[in-house]
Each structure stands twice: as structure tokens, then as C-alpha cells.
Amino acid sequence: MRNPAAAVVPHVKPAALVSALCWLGTALWQLPRNILIVLLMAYRKVISPLYGQVCRFFPSCSAYALEAITVHGAVKGSWLAARRLSRCHPWNAGGVDHVPAGHREWPEDRTPTIVVMNNPDKYLAAQSDGEGRFAA
Amino acid sequence: MFPFKWLVSAIMVGFHDGLSTIGLPAANGWTWTLSIIGLVLVIRAALIPVFVKQIKAQRGMQLLQPDLKKMQDKYKGKTDQLSRQAMAQEQMALYKKHGTNPFSACLPMLIQMPFFFALFQVLSGISTAKAGGQGIGAMSLEQVKQFDESSIFGAPLSASLLHGSTAGGEVAVWILSIVMILAMTASQFITQKQIMAKNMSEEAMASPFMKQQKMMLYILPIVFGVGGINFPIGVLIYWTTTNLWTMAQQFFVIRRMPTPGSPAAKALAERRAAKGLPALPLLGAKKADAEAAASASASAAAAVEARSQRVQPQRKNRKRK
């Protein structure tokens, strides 16, 4: 059994230090992205319902922005979102307009909700496949 | 922000010059008030084509009603979020295919924002610009001075409830600000309430957003009421006028061109029936009629087909769905 006092002593194993620094670095690197994600989620929860549906596209502009920033990060995601907003005007016919695929990968059951919701055909097929297998 | 500030002040100065030439006193606060109202009229009139386009698109929806119904039947009973999303996606693809879209995009709402902020900056910057001895945007120093000194009911146009004014008239600013804030929030509340009570289709009413939207109906006036204490009188005039415009436009739309499938559309159909006028063919209120007409034309088409070619007999269990 380890001495509980040992944890208090500021003698940390170098491996733990490296992993802590790594974690901190990732958190800092991801900070702008995560701030934007929180802001967008707040907008979608509070302000967006005010107007009801106005967007001519699927996914809607805010859903597109949220997915783009989740998948591509703060810089490229914002750029994609800005381009989408400039496309969303009454003289564009609208329609289905998905976020281009990114490089980020997630474990199968931990795909962000927004990615699933924005690509219903893909994930609905996967879901019914799973159900089918389960039933068989 | 500069181009917007320039444009906003140029339109205001244009109206002010025009009103002065027809004999209104140039230094009077009411002349400047009318100039701000003129600015609202210009911006809102420029947005009319967008609204007309949207309303026409809503009417055009009737044409794709059969396809829409087919799609709704396909998703009948599937209430999980992912299926709803799949349905929304398919619906958008359908609109695109028919080249119509009932949604106006967020542009009409967003486009007013820079103008509003520009006006806010111009009006709240008047006193500083006067002290610094310079003009703002298209306003010359002389006009800035004139604006700063002009007032209505004794309240300077560039004063706000929170920041008072340099030219006095504190009580007048208080009373006028509060009256304007009440007018502004009331007109907004009435407009939103009218839309929700009369001009929403049944599908929109049943959507999960409705609850949040109802909540917002009450929260928003509070937000604007609190924000209003920071607005100069001139901005309050702008905001109230633009809200009144929206309200009038909405009343007109609800009465004459309601959303298909909404209570207002039913009311219009009843009014027309009472007057002995035929129902508007493309309006959703007379859904049953439209469906009857569609099935009649379908059976006619079937009859034509039957004449040209005999339908091949088929075993029951081979029949395609």
C-alpha cells in the first residue's frame, strides 16, 4: 500500500508530468474550438428557437457551423461556417448541403451528437443495420 | 462599421435636407425625428422584395403537396430525433428539386443588424463628436451640433435614460425613454403573438421548437426593455418605428396572404366563401378541394392511359408495392 503522504510531496514521476503537460497542451490547443462550441450550443438553445426555422438548407446554418467547428476545429470550421452563411440568402435555392468530411476520428459509440444529427441517412442506416443484426 | 455609419448618416442627412427645403425648421428635433423615420422606411422598403418572394414561395408549396404527403407517410410514426432529421433532410431536397423554399434564410434579419448598430454608434457618438469638433460619417460638424442641440418634448435625441444628457431635460428624457421602451416592446410582443396565434401551420405548431418559442415571447420584451435604458432616444425612435412597420406588414400578410394550413388561412377562406368568391386555388386552406382536384386529374390521366394501353393482369403476390 502506498503512503498517502507521498501524493502530497511535490515529487512527481516524469511520465505523469509529461502526460499532464500533454493534457494541458491539448486542452489549451482545443480551447478556442470548445469556446465556440459552447457559444454555438447556447445560441441554438436560446436564440435560434425565437425565429423558428428560417434556414433554406439542411443542416441549418447553426447546425452546420457547430459540426464544422467540431470536425474541423476553430479556424477552418469558422471559415466553412462563414462561407455557408454567405450562401444562405433568399436568392439561393437552398437544399441539402453537408459539411465536408474532416480528419478527426471518434470511437464508434462516441461520435458527437451534432455529427450524427446532421448525417441522418448515414447513421440511420448504421442504426437499422445494427438492429437487423440484433434481431437475427 | 464605417460604410454602414456613412450610409445611415447619409440617408438621414438626405431626408433632413429634403424636409428643410420644403419648409420644416432645420434645427428642430421633429425634423430629425422624421429623418430617422425616413431611414426606417428606406431600409424596410428595400426589404419588401424579400418578403414578397417568401410569400410567393409559401403559395408555391401547394404544388409539391402530393410529394410532401408521400414523404410524411414514409416517416409516419417515426418520432425519434434521427428519423426527424432524415425527414427534414429529405424535405429540403424536395424543395430544391421543385425550386421553391418556404424559408426566407436569416439574411433579412441579419441585414438590419449592421444598420441598427451603425445608427446606435452615430447617435451615441454625437456628443463626443461635437466636443471633438468633427463630423460623423456623412454628417458635417454643423449638423452634428444641430442634432445635439435638437430635442422633442424637451428631451435631446442623443440622450439615453442611463447616460442622461449634456443639454439638460432629465425628466423629459426619463419619461420619453420609458414610453418609447414600452411602445417598442409592446409592438414586438403583439407581432410575435399574432404570428403564433394565427399564422403558423399545424406542423409548425406541433414542432418541438414551439415551447421554447412561447417562452421567448415573454423573455424577449424583458431583454429589450432592459437594453432600452442604454439606447439614445433616436435609436428608440428607429426601433419603435421598425417594429410598427413589422406589425403592420404582419397584419396585412395575416389578412391577405396567410401561411397555408394556418388558422388565418382558414379565416380567409371563410371570408371569401361568405362573399361568394371562389377559394384561392393555390392557398392551403382548401386542402380537400386541391386533393379532390388532384385525384380527379389523376383518374382522368388513368382513363387516357387505359384507352391507349390495356393494363397487364398481374398475380396478386407479384404486385409491386
Side-chain angles (χ1 to χ4, degrees):
Chain A
M1 210 190 210
R2 281 168 66 189
N3 183 1
V8 190
V9 177
H11 179 263
V12 192
K13 280 181 196 160
L17 188 70
V18 167
S19 78
L21 277 177
C22 270
W23 181 85
L24 191 71
T26 316
L28 268 180
W29 179 247
Q30 297 281 3
L31 189 67
R33 165 181 177 264
N34 291 335
I35 288 175
L36 286 175
I37 287 176
V38 168
L39 284 177
L40 276 167
M41 280 176 155
Y43 169 84
R44 282 167 60 75
K45 194 87 198 156
V46 181
I47 301 176
S48 191
L50 264 176
Y51 301 112
Q53 188 179 359
V54 292
C55 196
R56 310 174 74 79
F57 286 105
F58 181 92
S60 75
C61 290
S62 64
Y64 185 97
L66 186 55
E67 189 191 342
I69 286 167
T70 309
V71 173
H72 293 280
V75 177
K76 197 180 173 195
S78 302
W79 167 241
L80 287 170
R83 280 189 42 196
R84 157 58 97 78
L85 272 178
S86 72
R87 256 175 285 150
C88 189
H89 55 76
W91 284 271
N92 188 317
V96 177
D97 175 29
H98 288 299
V99 178
H103 300 297
R104 273 168 223 239
E105 302 255 330
W106 288 277
E108 202 164 303
D109 53 338
R110 296 193 54 191
T111 314
T113 317
I114 188 68
V115 177
V116 177
M117 287 301 153
N118 282 356
N119 300 282
D121 34 9
K122 189 176 157 194
Y123 288 95
L124 207 56
Q127 196 185 59
S128 57
D129 271 7
E131 272 167 19
R133 247 176 278 142
F134 184 74
Chain B
M1 222 52 217
F2 176 78
F4 290 103
K5 270 169 92 167
W6 188 87
L7 197 61
V8 161
S9 50
I11 294 171
M12 242 162 55
V13 167
F15 270 98
H16 185 256
D17 288 350
L19 291 167
S20 312
T21 22
I22 60 166
L24 271 79
N28 194 300
W30 288 105
T31 313
W32 282 109
T33 304
L34 288 177
S35 308
I36 295 172
I37 293 174
L39 174 69
V40 174
L41 298 185
V42 167
I43 293 175
R44 297 309 301 263
L47 284 175
I48 287 180
V50 175
F51 280 99
V52 170
K53 198 169 161 30
Q54 184 193 356
I55 286 160
K56 276 192 181 153
Q58 272 177 357
R59 287 192 171 200
M61 291 294 292
Q62 198 61 48
L63 296 172
L64 54 98
Q65 214 46 253
D67 280 356
L68 214 55
K69 188 147 175 24
K70 221 180 281 168
M71 192 201 71
Q72 277 163 353
D73 286 344
K74 183 174 153 194
Y75 286 97
K76 203 166 215 170
K78 289 186 180 168
T79 48
D80 64 289
Q81 217 181 345
L82 201 54
S83 300
R84 294 276 115 188
Q85 288 288 97
M87 185 171 149
Q89 174 171 351
E90 213 168 303
Q91 200 169 343
M92 280 300 172
L94 197 63
Y95 292 150
K96 169 103 179 186
K97 198 179 121 201
H98 287 261
T100 182
N101 201 315
F103 303 113
S104 61
C106 47
L107 187 85
M109 289 181 307
L110 288 181
I111 205 144
Q112 287 188 73
M113 291 308 236
F115 288 100
F116 178 71
F117 284 122
L119 185 74
F120 186 83
Q121 282 186 356
V122 167
L123 293 189
S124 42
I126 288 273
S127 303
T128 352
K130 186 195 168 199
Q134 52 189 357
I136 297 183
M139 280 171 102
S140 65
L141 176 60
E142 225 162 283
Q143 282 161 329
V144 164
K145 275 184 186 158
Q146 196 185 54
F147 192 101
D148 195 46
E149 280 151 21
S150 71
S151 58
I152 51 170
F153 300 121
L157 290 177
S158 53
S160 70
L161 210 159
L162 207 61
H163 299 300
S165 72
T166 49
E170 292 287 320
V171 181
V173 171
W174 271 73
I175 295 172
L176 197 59
S177 295
I178 289 169
V179 169
M180 298 286 282
I181 289 170
L182 287 179
M184 176 176 100
T185 48
S187 52
Q188 187 164 14
F189 181 83
I190 293 168
T191 307
Q192 200 61 31
K193 186 101 185 150
Q194 286 280 329
I195 294 174
M196 283 166 61
K198 293 186 183 166
N199 205 29
M200 279 183 132
S201 62
E202 275 155 28
E203 294 101 77
M205 293 273 219
S207 87
F209 290 119
M210 201 56 197
K211 204 175 154 194
Q212 273 162 308
Q213 217 162 344
K214 267 185 186 153
M215 212 167 66
M216 278 298 149
L217 180 64
Y218 296 94
I219 293 173
L220 208 68
I222 300 170
V223 171
F224 276 97
V226 172
I229 60 174
N230 204 19
F231 292 172
I233 301 272
V235 172
L236 288 178
I237 294 170
Y238 175 90
W239 201 254
T240 309
T241 317
T242 200
N243 277 359
L244 288 176
W245 175 294
T246 312
M247 199 164 86
Q249 188 173 270
Q250 206 56 51
F251 270 122
F252 179 80
V253 166
I254 284 175
R255 200 163 164 82
R256 304 288 298 275
M257 303 174 249
T259 311
S262 67
K266 284 187 195 99
L268 176 68
E270 276 163 23
R271 278 203 305 277
R272 287 185 72 89
K275 279 186 199 159
L277 292 165
L280 291 173
L282 277 182
L283 223 56
K286 287 277 173 186
K287 219 174 182 176
D289 281 10
E291 259 162 37
S295 65
S297 66
S299 61
V304 169
E305 214 168 276
R307 236 175 287 141
S308 62
Q309 195 186 8
R310 191 176 68 96
V311 179
Q312 292 290 320
Q314 232 173 6
R315 230 186 318 132
K316 230 181 200 166
N317 55 6
R318 272 195 64 184
K319 233 174 210 171
R320 267 179 278 138
K321 271 181 206 165

